[in-house]
Amino acid sequence: MLTVDDALEQVGEFGWFQKQAFLALCLLSAAFAPIYVGIVFLAFTPDHRCRSPGVPELSRRCGWSLAEELNYTVPGPGPEGQAFPRQCRRYEVDWNQSALGCVDPLAGLAANSSLLPLGPCRHGWVYDTPGSSVVTEFNLVCDDSWKVDLFQSCVNVGFFLGSLGAGYIADRFGRKVCLLATTLISAILGVLTAVAPDYTSLLLFRLGQGLVSKGSWTAGYTLITEFVGLGYRRTVAILYQVAFTVGLVLLSGLAYAVPHWRWLQLAVSLPTFLLPLCYWFVPESPRWLLSQKRNTQAVKIMDHIAQKNGKLPPADLKMLSLKEDVTEKLSPSFVDLFRTPHLRKHTFILMYLWLTSSVLYQGLIMHMGVTGGNLYLDFFYSALVEFPAAFIILVTIERFGCLYPLAGSNLVVGAACFLMIFISHDLHWLNIVVACVGRMGITLAFQMVCLVNAELYPTFLRNLGVMVCSSLCDLGGVITPFLVFRLMEVWQGLPLILFAALGLVAGGMTLLLPETKGVTLPETIKDAENLRRKAKPKENKIYLQVQTSEFNSQAPERDAPLGTGWQR
């Protein structure tokens, strides 16, 4: 009985057709980056101070420099651990009175300026930035600073809720339908976010974009991994995530060129209206069609792939079917994720790994942000760290599989966070180096957990499984901002203790999952249940076949991934 993997070996595992589809779907991955981390530029908080009527006129009359104006008219920093009066409080002084002099104007009002009464910023704030952000436009500072956290959490709430619905749609109605609907809606909501008239509507549009955008990314991820053969499945999955990193790098440059948040939001949203064109260039997944008993359509698509790749289709292509014949169409159900012992264990472990990856990834970014510096360069450098992580995965997984690198990556980030607790703040360079090692480790883990997740579920349940498990990543994104900053109020090293514990436990739990190196994608629940039992014998057999094919076509296979990377 001819399976999809058998057919792909003959029509091409990563030929011209798969390369075209891969590049088209990589655009989806890159476009997801501004939605996921665009908050860094859309809602950055610049240095600010209370607006005091009369101060600009007095400053011009006296010929003060900016430093002198701040020294004379703005309160100094408060006691350590308390709010800074410099940003959120103002002197209760009438700066329009003519009695004020140009040299220490407050000396005539009090012997010491610290004795003068302070009041809230009734007239707004002055922001030291040439651009604008959500914070500066809606004054989300001081008592309203929590609204910035809510703005970031809102999109993660959307990711969390949308993961469940979009995963079901992709498995029930097809990857292409999910891809088209979610991408188009996300583009519309992105534009609406750019023209939002107030903070409330901004939250609603951001929530809506979160509901659909992750579904688009995950549908593209699932689709490309189901199009390629066994020998390239992991490579394209990793490079698909590298496209996300490309989006991060491009975002930093675009944000530098467009410092105003509304124009920046438009700049990253308008191009996404072209992405639904993928619907007409990328066909439906043959694996999904077979799981829905639509064998005729699956055969036509495989024949189309053979023509595009310049190969002859198998003589028995019309016999294409799932590995095991099913008597009725398979429909995904949430219960299936917990119905059998091994799938239930895998689901719980993967949920924890996704949660840990999100908390550590975002938490380390926040921790590094405390050091300050140039916003654009810091973001750019941290994004560059993710490129070597992807290539480390490509080198290691063919030799060691995913299981041990995933466990090791979690252990590395856990150990790095633990070491940072004992490093003095005066050793700034050492803190940065160790933090980058931790960032490298969690990037490795984040990329590999997505890969492992897709390989542990049968075809008809795969997209739902990825969506449900990765929804814990979104839950982590919701709680991380509040979690990190609340713990830092108690002690700055407390978040690092939490990060270390999460990473070390995740490393141990990873070893309870089965290795999937060289194993055909499971197509039924029975296949998924037998993964651990069948892994070793099937791995040896299939791995030797893959190595043989690689030896016979070493040059084309080597050039394909590198060429794809350079084009992006």
Side-chain angles (χ1 to χ4, degrees):
M1 186 175 293
L2 185 70
T3 65
V4 174
D5 285 323
D6 296 332
L8 286 173
E9 287 183 3
Q10 300 182 52
V11 304
E13 291 186 303
F14 193 64
W16 179 244
F17 166 82
Q18 285 95 340
K19 291 174 184 177
Q20 284 184 313
F22 173 72
L23 289 175
L25 294 173
C26 275
L27 297 177
L28 289 172
S29 185
F32 182 61
I35 300 173
Y36 190 68
V37 295
I39 186 71
V40 175
F41 302 109
L42 295 175
F44 69 91
T45 303
D47 289 335
H48 53 279
R49 60 187 181 276
C50 293
R51 185 184 303 276
S52 298
V55 167
E57 292 76 8
L58 180 61
S59 179
R60 283 194 298 268
R61 178 167 63 86
C62 295
W64 290 338
S65 65
L66 178 60
E68 289 174 323
E69 178 183 327
L70 296 178
N71 183 49
Y72 291 143
T73 65
V74 177
E80 184 177 359
Q82 297 183 13
F84 287 92
R86 187 181 196 89
Q87 296 180 333
C88 301
R89 308 286 282 177
R90 59 180 291 271
Y91 289 123
E92 292 287 5
V93 172
D94 180 9
W95 295 99
N96 290 309
Q97 56 183 302
S98 58
L100 297 177
C102 292
V103 179
D104 197 4
L106 299 179
L109 302 179
N112 191 326
S113 60
S114 62
L115 301 177
L116 289 172
L118 300 178
C121 301
R122 299 187 182 91
H123 305 283
W125 287 263
V126 177
Y127 298 96
D128 296 328
T129 176
S132 67
S133 72
V134 172
V135 172
T136 62
E137 182 166 333
F138 299 109
N139 289 324
L140 306 183
V141 293
C142 299
D143 291 341
D144 287 334
S145 60
W146 61 272
K147 292 183 178 180
V148 180
D149 299 332
L150 182 61
F151 180 65
Q152 171 65 4
S153 296
C154 209
V155 70
N156 282 283
V157 170
F159 290 157
F160 179 76
L161 299 177
S163 295
L164 309 180
Y168 180 81
I169 291 173
D171 282 333
R172 182 67 179 85
F173 301 102
R175 283 47 164 151
K176 284 188 64 175
V177 172
C178 179
L179 201 66
L180 176 65
T182 54
T183 303
L184 186 59
I185 295 173
S186 178
I188 294 173
L189 289 170
V191 173
L192 291 176
T193 300
V195 297
D198 51 51
Y199 177 76
T200 302
S201 59
L202 191 68
L203 288 184
L204 293 177
F205 294 143
R206 189 74 170 163
L207 174 64
Q209 195 172 32
L211 285 170
V212 295
S213 57
K214 188 181 175 183
S216 174
W217 185 91
T218 309
Y221 177 89
T222 304
L223 193 57
I224 192 57
T225 56
E226 293 183 346
F227 267 135
V228 300
L230 179 64
Y232 291 92
R233 191 174 70 218
R234 287 178 169 175
T235 301
V236 299
I238 294 167
L239 292 179
Y240 182 77
Q241 296 179 75
V242 171
F244 174 84
T245 303
V246 173
L248 295 179
V249 173
L250 294 177
L251 176 62
S252 61
L254 185 61
Y256 179 78
V258 186
H260 298 280
W261 79 272
R262 290 189 184 273
W263 290 109
L264 177 61
Q265 179 65 28
L266 277 177
V268 299
S269 299
L270 290 177
T272 60
F273 280 98
L274 299 176
L275 296 181
L277 295 177
C278 295
Y279 184 85
W280 286 273
F281 292 99
V282 180
E284 184 57 85
S285 165
R287 299 179 190 271
W288 179 82
L289 291 171
L290 291 174
S291 73
Q292 302 300 301
K293 303 300 291 180
R294 295 161 63 176
N295 295 38
T296 303
Q297 291 177 261
V299 170
K300 289 182 179 179
I301 291 175
M302 292 303 297
D303 185 66
H304 173 71
I305 294 175
Q307 293 179 13
K308 283 285 188 179
N309 291 344
K311 300 291 184 69
L312 292 175
D316 56 346
L317 184 59
K318 293 185 178 180
M319 302 298 294
L320 187 68
S321 65
L322 290 176
K323 184 176 180 182
E324 294 185 9
D325 190 23
V326 290
T327 57
E328 59 182 11
K329 183 171 68 175
L330 300 175
S331 297
S333 169
F334 289 104
V335 179
D336 291 331
L337 298 175
F338 307 94
R339 189 188 304 277
T340 54
H342 285 147
L343 275 183
R344 181 166 55 248
K345 181 180 72 173
H346 298 166
T347 299
F348 283 128
I349 292 176
L350 288 168
M351 283 180 170
Y352 177 79
L353 293 180
W354 276 107
L355 177 68
T356 300
S357 297
S358 177
V359 172
L360 293 179
Y361 184 83
Q362 297 189 42
L364 282 177
I365 291 177
M366 294 176 186
H367 189 271
M368 290 186 68
V370 174
T371 60
N374 187 294
L375 175 64
Y376 305 101
L377 285 179
D378 288 348
F379 189 88
F380 177 74
Y381 293 146
S382 64
L384 290 180
V385 172
E386 300 190 8
F387 283 110
F391 290 105
I392 290 174
I393 297 174
L394 290 173
V395 172
T396 58
I397 61 174
E398 289 302 326
R399 293 187 177 185
F400 308 106
C402 274
L403 192 65
Y404 294 110
L406 177 58
S409 299
N410 280 299
L411 294 175
V412 165
V413 66
C417 292
F418 184 74
L419 289 175
M420 290 172 65
I421 300 172
F422 304 99
I423 298 177
S424 170
H425 292 290
D426 296 331
L427 298 175
H428 177 73
W429 63 271
L430 185 58
N431 270 297
I432 294 298
V433 170
V434 177
C436 286
V437 171
R439 175 72 183 274
M440 175 79 73
I442 196 55
T443 300
L444 287 165
F446 222 152
Q447 292 189 1
M448 281 190 288
V449 71
C450 191
L451 181 65
V452 170
N453 200 155
E455 295 183 344
L456 292 180
Y457 289 102
T459 299
F460 80 101
L461 199 60
R462 186 167 299 123
N463 210 78
L464 181 64
V466 173
M467 283 291 189
V468 171
C469 293
S470 66
S471 66
L472 270 292
C473 161
D474 309 321
L475 182 60
V478 173
I479 66 176
T480 298
F482 302 99
L483 183 66
V484 171
F485 295 122
R486 297 292 80 76
L487 291 179
M488 289 184 68
E489 288 184 354
V490 179
W491 177 45
Q492 283 196 343
L494 200 54
L496 295 175
I497 294 178
L498 175 63
F499 295 162
L502 289 174
L504 295 175
V505 172
M509 293 184 68
T510 301
L511 298 176
L512 300 178
L513 296 173
E515 177 57 71
T516 57
K517 183 184 72 171
V519 178
T520 303
L521 283 174
E523 295 177 340
T524 65
I525 289 182
K526 184 177 180 181
D527 287 342
E529 280 293 294
N530 292 333
L531 272 177
R532 184 177 294 275
R533 190 181 313 163
K534 294 158 61 176
K536 289 187 177 180
K538 287 194 72 175
E539 175 185 329
N540 293 335
K541 179 179 178 182
I542 295 177
Y543 185 67
L544 289 174
Q545 291 177 353
V546 172
Q547 290 296 329
T548 302
S549 65
E550 289 180 354
F551 179 79
N552 292 335
S553 57
Q554 185 175 1
E557 290 189 9
R558 182 178 63 249
D559 294 340
L562 291 176
T564 302
W566 281 110
Q567 290 177 39
R568 285 198 307 280

